[in-house]
């Protein structure tokens, strides 16, 4: 799973930005941005928000992909992953009430 990184790469390319240009705009190293796009590194939430603004992406959509990627990384090898996600989902719904 790497929808988060692929979304960033697609948006960067759609904006005709080279990796080094976007990295410079975000004030991060080009190698770090490359790792984020390849799914080898997860940025902090603050950087996700900055990426969304820089690439004119909906912040909420990019944060959703970022969170999904983080959850997937935690549970991908767990046999009970789906059941655990269902329980967590119910807990979140109950908190929102």
């Amino acid at each position: 799973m790497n929808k988060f990184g692929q979304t960033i790469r697609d948006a960067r390319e759609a904006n005709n930005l080279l990796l080094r240009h976007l990295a410079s705009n975000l004030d991060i190293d080009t190698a770090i941005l490359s790792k984020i796009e390849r799914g080898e590194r997860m940025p902090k939430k603050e950087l996700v928000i900055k990426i969304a603004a820089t690439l004119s992406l909906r912040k909420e959509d990019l944060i959703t992909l970022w969170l999904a990627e983080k959850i997937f990384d935690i549970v991908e090898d767990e046999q009970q992953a789906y059941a655990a996600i269902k329980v967590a989902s119910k807990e979140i719904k109950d908190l929102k009430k």
Side-chain angles (χ1 to χ4, degrees), residues 43-51 66:
K44 293 184 177 180
K45 186 176 182 180
E46 295 80 20
L47 183 56
V48 174
I49 293 168
K50 196 172 181 180
I51 291 169
W66 173 73

Side-chain angles (χ1 to χ4, degrees), residues 13-32:
E13 290 173 352
N15 283 284
N16 295 314
L17 289 172
L18 296 175
L19 199 61
R20 63 189 158 111
H21 294 142
L22 178 57
S24 176
N25 289 343
L26 298 170
D27 199 27
I28 62 172
D29 189 68
T30 303
I32 292 173

Side-chain angles (χ1 to χ4, degrees), residues 39-93:
E40 296 172 6
R41 182 174 178 148
M42 288 301 290
K44 293 184 177 180
K45 186 176 182 180
E46 295 80 20
L47 183 56
V48 174
I49 293 168
K50 196 172 181 180
I51 291 169
T54 303
L55 295 174
S56 300
L57 297 171
R58 282 193 69 239
K59 176 180 74 170
E60 295 80 6
D61 293 341
L62 198 58
I63 289 173
T64 299
L65 287 175
W66 173 73
L67 284 171
E69 194 84 27
K70 288 178 71 155
I71 293 166
F72 180 80
D73 286 346
I74 292 168
V75 301
E76 67 179 312
D77 295 325
E78 297 294 332
Q79 196 169 29
Q80 294 302 115
Y82 185 69
I85 289 171
K86 283 175 52 177
V87 170
S89 178
K90 184 181 181 319
E91 292 286 328
I92 291 168
K93 285 179 185 176

